[in-house]
Amino acid sequence: MQYVSTAASADAGCVFCRALAARDDKTALIVHRGERAFLILNAFPYASGHLMATLVRHGAGLLDATPAELTEVMALVQLGLRALRTAYGPDGFNVGVNEGRVAGAGVPEHLHLHVVPRWNGDSNFMSVVGEVRVLPESLEATYDRLSAALHS
Ligand SMILES: [Zn+2]
């Protein structure tokens, strides 16, 4: 499964480090910054509102993350779930990790937990992987809805 764009090639650098270094969080799709972790929209979402709770430190995969990093990234998963519930009212969520490139991690250098809202009767999570996805709203609209929910 490839959740994150393959644009994160060695030549292109690290998409998460670039996003963190960008001056404009909206352009970078970062909806919340914490000390050790942040919430960022997936640029190629499987559903509107597809977030990633991601560690700030480059080189911190699941095997290398510290207890403090693990605590904060899970707290941001919960924050993201709450914001998604407020903004979208989904029926459930998929929350998951791909550890290592062979397992589908597009950016294995930063632990990131995918948070995907689900609705009764929507496409099966596995069946949509790899297919062209048609989303009902733009990333910009998703950004605005989630930012409002996070900061209300
Ligand atoms: Zn990085």
Side-chain angles (χ1 to χ4, degrees):
M1 290 183 284
Q2 191 78 14
Y3 289 89
V4 176
S5 165
T6 50
S9 66
D11 292 342
C14 172
V15 292
F16 289 138
C17 287
R18 282 210 310 270
L20 285 166
R23 290 172 181 272
D24 180 1
D25 277 354
K26 185 166 183 174
T27 301
L29 301 176
I30 294 174
V31 290
H32 177 84
R33 287 177 183 258
E35 182 184 348
R36 299 178 179 85
F38 60 104
L39 286 174
I40 185 169
L41 296 182
N42 192 316
F44 301 92
Y46 287 101
S48 291
H50 181 169
L51 289 171
M52 296 175 292
T54 306
L55 288 181
V56 168
R57 181 165 64 91
H58 187 98
L62 188 53
L63 287 165
D64 306 300
T66 67
E69 286 173 331
L70 295 173
T71 297
E72 186 168 337
V73 80
M74 282 307 294
L76 288 195
V77 167
Q78 187 181 55
L79 187 69
L81 290 174
R82 288 174 173 159
L84 286 167
R85 187 174 60 185
T86 298
Y88 292 93
D91 300 309
F93 300 94
N94 287 104
V95 177
V97 175
N98 302 323
E99 178 67 13
R101 207 173 288 281
V102 70
V107 189
E109 296 85 4
H110 295 249
L111 171 64
H112 52 284
L113 286 85
H114 293 267
V115 178
V116 182
R118 300 298 309 277
W119 286 266
N120 292 324
D122 68 8
S123 303
N124 177 273
F125 184 61
M126 300 305 291
S127 71
V128 300
V129 172
E131 296 176 9
V132 174
R133 297 171 295 281
V134 179
L135 296 167
E137 70 177 13
S138 67
L139 284 170
E140 184 177 19
T142 301
Y143 187 94
D144 290 341
R145 284 175 75 165
L146 283 176
S147 290
L150 280 163
H151 304 120
S152 61

